[in-house]
Amino acid sequence: MTESPKGEVISMSAVAQRAGLSRQALHNHYSNVGDLATDVWISRLLGDRQVLDQSAANLGLALADAVRESGIEPLLAAGRTDREFFDRLRAIPRGERVAEVLAAAVTTWLTESDRDPTRSTIALTGDARIFAIGGMVALVSTWQMAAEPPSIAHQVAMLRTFAASAAVAAAG
């Protein structure tokens, strides 16, 4: 998937051919390239945390578990380190699955992360959750592509402030 020139449309047929699979075999696991790209993205973020025999159905849970155990910092760092790869994935239109996976990971980070047990949790629901997660994804994407992004600690602080503001606005 990362070998195609940026902006080139990637089809399920092309992916199946490159992987040595039939198109039907690929469609048995993924309904579209966006869902496949989501799993590639999650796998890359998880890196060595991912169990080799882990099925695609569990990748979202594995991402949430990684966030629960280590916070969001390692994922922000991984996205920045592998900038070209993630830039190419961002160019692939994605469906609702990526939003669901991101929402679960961000919600886990805001409410359950073991990284800082002294901080208050931020609970987002309904429209505030959709708005906050969309805004946070936009911020992270902007930072990852910046020539000089803020430090990871500053990114985390800004994301928490953004989510807290959305929660307060929704409650008010």
Side-chain angles (χ1 to χ4, degrees):
M1 289 177 74
T2 62
E3 293 175 11
S4 295
K6 186 174 176 182
E8 181 180 311
V9 176
I10 299 173
S11 68
M12 292 290 275
S13 296
V15 172
Q17 182 180 13
R18 178 85 174 147
L21 300 170
S22 71
R23 190 170 184 267
Q24 185 57 48
L26 191 59
H27 272 287
N28 286 342
H29 297 282
Y30 298 100
S31 59
N32 58 59
V33 172
D35 288 347
L36 173 60
T38 298
D39 283 353
V40 170
W41 175 76
I42 295 168
S43 296
R44 194 72 165 239
L45 283 177
L46 290 172
D48 60 358
R49 293 177 171 272
Q50 182 182 350
V51 179
L52 292 176
D53 64 351
Q54 196 161 36
S55 73
N58 295 325
L59 285 173
L61 295 173
L63 185 64
D65 286 344
V67 168
R68 184 177 293 113
E69 293 168 13
S70 304
I72 203 163
E73 294 88 339
L75 302 181
L76 293 172
R80 179 68 184 159
T81 301
D82 214 349
R83 183 175 169 166
E84 184 179 342
F85 175 81
F86 287 106
D87 186 36
R88 287 177 181 268
L89 280 186
R90 265 194 285 285
I92 298 172
R94 289 179 296 251
E96 292 181 19
R97 184 163 182 275
V98 71
E100 293 166 7
V101 168
L102 286 173
V106 169
T107 300
T108 299
W109 172 59
L110 293 172
T111 59
E112 303 176 33
S113 176
D114 293 337
R115 191 90 165 112
D116 183 4
T118 62
R119 64 155 172 73
S120 61
T121 60
I122 300 169
L124 294 165
T125 57
D127 290 342
R129 182 174 188 241
I130 293 166
F131 171 78
I133 290 168
M136 293 167 89
V137 168
L139 284 170
V140 169
S141 293
T142 300
W143 294 330
Q144 285 178 345
M145 298 316 299
E148 294 184 32
S151 70
I152 298 294
H154 186 71
Q155 289 180 31
V156 169
M158 288 180 71
L159 291 173
R160 289 194 62 74
T161 299
F162 184 81
S165 296
V168 168

